């Protein structure tokens, strides 16, 4: 059994590495090449990268493709660039724009993993005769009693499990994450040891097709005429001001509301909900953000086959499965009960109310370090 859990010698095992041009995927390729694997590097061109070549910190741009090719040459592996612009535009960018227009706050990087990298690229890897697709994500793949499991990375500061909840069981059998047991400083040290020029390259920060951070401008370009002005309304019904489009706002937002304070009132105001049909942004004090119930759609389950109860003998199925959930990537997990309500839907009962739960974000379910699955937040209730 080799280090990837396959019953072959490394030199007899072909592995495709998704190379973004950053230090993480570059070290992944270098590690596997050093172990003797038959490594093939593939970089995806996902959009007109010429528009972002001059922007540092945006992945999949022209400089990144160049960097990936330089690394491949350095470690002596073949490298290919695949044009996935059409697929990316349809499956990620269009979804991003439509989600914002529905008053949601989307996560395009999850959609990219779900619909492009772990679907189309994975199929391409199989066509090339690979027995695994390796990426530079900080997450661990462990083998349990029912097969491959997804777990948090060892380094909590770099853990990317939240963004990989939509990975299916079938995909997880084929995927490998060699960096899941490393810290970022350890990864950079490996890059230096291998002589990779990307060793000190900064991590990407922006959404690749929004290199200047102006989401609303991208939505307006993708959906001309759809970003319309409307009213900013207090939760008690008072009209406080005007906005230039609901796409400029997200639930839980406090800064940049454009209405200033309310005379005679000291409480800060937050976006409580968005009503895109009425082109309305509803604001209120922080207490009005508290939510105890989250409805989830498009559930992908990676946990035990009986997800409704904790599996104890004689336990009431309606009691729910005790879990912890992350409702935004940067928020700590919250204790909850998971109730499956249909083949791809669920209701999450939060044991303590959470603030700023935004439709369109992901609800990712954990037990300890293991990712049980997750879905997209469809709605909330107090």
């Amino acid at each position: 059994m080799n280090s990837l859990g396959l019953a072959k010698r490394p030199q007899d095992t072909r592995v495709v590495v998704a190379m973004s041009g950053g230090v993480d995927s570059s070290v992944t390729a270098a590690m596997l090449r050093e172990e003797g694997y038959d490594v093939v590097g593939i970089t995806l061109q996902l959009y007109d990268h010429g528009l972002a070549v001059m922007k540092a910190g945006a992945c999949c741009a022209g400089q990144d493709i160049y960097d990936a090719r330089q690394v491949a040459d350095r470690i002596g592996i073949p490298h290919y660039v695949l044009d996935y612009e059409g697929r990316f535009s349809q499956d990620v960018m269009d979804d991003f724009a439509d989600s914002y227009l529905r008053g949601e706050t989307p996560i395009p990087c999850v959609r990219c993993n779900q619909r492009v990298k772990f679907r189309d690229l994975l199929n391409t890897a199989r066509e090339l005769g690979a027995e695994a697709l390796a990426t530079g994500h900080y997450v661990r793949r462990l083998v349990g009693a029912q097969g491959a499991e997804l777990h948090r990375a060892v380094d909590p500061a770099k853990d990317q499990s939240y963004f990989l909840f939509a990975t299916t069981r079938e995909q997880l059998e084929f995927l490998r994450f060699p960096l899941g047991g490393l810290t970022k400083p350890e990864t950079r040290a490996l890059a230096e040891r291998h002589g990779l020029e990307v060793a000190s390259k900064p991590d990407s920060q922006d959404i690749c097709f929004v290199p200047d951070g102006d989401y609303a401008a991208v939505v307006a370009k993708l959906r001309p005429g759809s970003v319309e002005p409307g009213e900013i309304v207090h939760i008690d019904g008072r009209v406080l001001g005007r906005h230039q489009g609901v796409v400029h706002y997200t639930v839980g937002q406090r800064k940049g509301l454009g209405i200033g304070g309310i005379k005679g009132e000291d409480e800060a105001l937050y976006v409580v909900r968005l009503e895109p049909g009425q082109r309305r942004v509803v604001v209120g004090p922080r207490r009005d953000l508290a939510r105890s119930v989250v409805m989830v759609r498009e559930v992908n389950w990676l946990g035990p086959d009986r997800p409704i109860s904790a599996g104890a003998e004689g336990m009431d199925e309606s009691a729910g499965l005790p879990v912890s959930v992350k409702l935004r990537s940067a928020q700590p997990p919250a204790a909850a009960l998971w109730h499956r309500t249909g083949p791809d839907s669920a209701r999450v009962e939060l044991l303590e109310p959470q603030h700023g739960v935004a439709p369109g974000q992901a609800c990712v379910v954990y037990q300890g370090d293991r990712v049980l699955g997750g879905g997209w937040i469809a709605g909330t209730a107090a």
Side-chain angles (χ1 to χ4, degrees):
M1 194 73 68
N2 61 36
S3 63
L4 297 180
L6 299 168
K8 281 187 173 183
R9 299 183 306 167
Q11 55 265 44
D12 298 326
T13 306
R14 173 165 291 180
V15 183
V16 165
V17 177
M19 299 182 68
S20 68
V23 62
D24 298 326
S25 60
S26 297
V27 167
T28 297
M31 288 171 58
L32 294 173
R33 180 70 181 90
E34 185 177 50
E35 289 182 49
Y37 288 97
D38 176 12
V39 178
V40 177
I42 291 183
T43 301
L44 303 181
Q45 180 176 318
L46 299 179
Y47 71 110
D48 184 1
H49 62 268
L51 296 176
V53 169
M54 302 306 294
K55 173 64 177 179
C59 73
C60 313
Q63 182 62 47
D64 296 317
I65 293 174
Y66 173 80
D67 289 342
R69 180 171 289 125
Q70 291 292 100
V71 168
D73 289 343
R74 170 76 182 180
I75 63 178
I77 65 169
H79 175 255
Y80 303 97
V81 178
L82 302 183
D83 183 356
Y84 276 24
E85 282 192 41
R87 306 179 201 190
F88 184 75
S89 176
Q90 178 179 336
D91 292 339
V92 179
M93 294 176 66
D94 286 348
D95 177 85
F96 171 87
D98 293 339
S99 183
Y100 260 116
L101 292 174
R102 291 193 299 268
E104 299 175 345
T105 305
I107 315 174
C109 295
V110 174
R111 285 299 194 197
C112 184
N113 289 329
Q114 179 185 27
R115 296 179 174 179
V116 179
K117 293 178 181 176
F118 292 172
R119 185 188 67 186
D120 296 339
L121 178 56
L122 189 145
N123 290 334
T124 298
R126 284 198 172 105
E127 291 170 0
L128 290 172
E131 296 185 61
L133 171 64
T135 78
H137 288 102
Y138 286 87
V139 67
R140 290 180 296 154
R141 175 191 179 276
L142 304 179
V143 178
Q146 296 183 355
E149 300 174 356
L150 194 63
H151 289 250
R152 299 179 201 265
V154 167
D155 184 353
K158 294 302 297 181
D159 174 57
Q160 294 173 296
S161 60
Y162 180 86
F163 298 98
L164 299 181
F165 80 87
T167 307
T168 66
R169 295 188 187 198
E170 180 185 8
Q171 292 167 346
L172 197 55
E173 292 293 336
F174 194 73
L175 287 163
R176 298 295 188 275
F177 308 104
L179 302 188
L182 301 179
T183 65
K184 187 71 178 200
E186 289 172 334
T187 298
R188 291 200 182 276
L190 283 171
E192 291 178 356
R193 183 170 70 78
H194 285 284
L196 306 182
E197 292 186 9
V198 296
S200 59
K201 185 175 180 178
D203 291 341
S204 60
Q205 301 294 330
D206 299 322
I207 295 172
C208 63
F209 57 92
V210 194
D212 59 0
D214 190 348
Y215 305 132
V218 172
V219 175
K221 184 176 180 180
L222 292 171
R223 297 291 183 269
S226 60
V227 179
E228 300 177 304
E231 294 178 336
I232 300 176
V233 182
H234 194 278
I235 198 167
D236 64 13
R238 287 176 290 167
V239 176
L240 303 180
R242 300 278 297 175
H243 65 78
Q244 297 304 310
V246 295
V247 299
H248 292 280
Y249 301 86
T250 183
V251 171
Q253 179 178 336
R254 177 183 175 185
K255 296 181 179 179
L257 301 185
I259 54 176
I262 301 177
K263 188 175 181 179
E265 298 183 19
D266 296 329
E267 288 185 298
L269 296 177
Y270 299 78
V271 176
V272 173
R273 66 177 179 271
L274 300 174
E275 298 177 352
Q278 291 75 39
R279 304 196 303 276
R280 192 156 50 206
V281 175
V282 181
V283 300
R286 188 173 187 273
R287 61 178 175 272
D288 289 315
L289 283 172
R291 294 293 183 268
S292 297
V293 177
V294 179
M295 281 70 76
V296 183
R297 58 179 169 83
E298 295 183 51
V299 169
N300 178 60
W301 192 252
L302 295 171
D305 291 333
R306 293 181 65 210
I308 296 180
S309 76
E313 186 69 27
M315 182 175 180
D316 181 5
E317 293 280 330
S318 65
L321 179 68
V323 297
S324 60
V325 296
K326 289 193 72 170
L327 303 171
R328 283 192 187 249
S329 62
Q331 289 181 348
L337 294 173
W338 173 267
H339 302 267
R340 195 68 175 262
T341 58
D344 62 353
S345 62
R347 179 173 60 87
V348 176
E349 179 185 344
L350 298 166
L351 301 192
E352 291 186 6
Q354 299 296 306
H355 295 76
V357 183
Q361 291 285 291
C363 172
V364 182
V365 187
Y366 297 85
Q367 275 188 337
D369 283 336
R370 184 180 177 185
V371 180
L372 297 185
W376 299 100
I377 298 173
T380 62

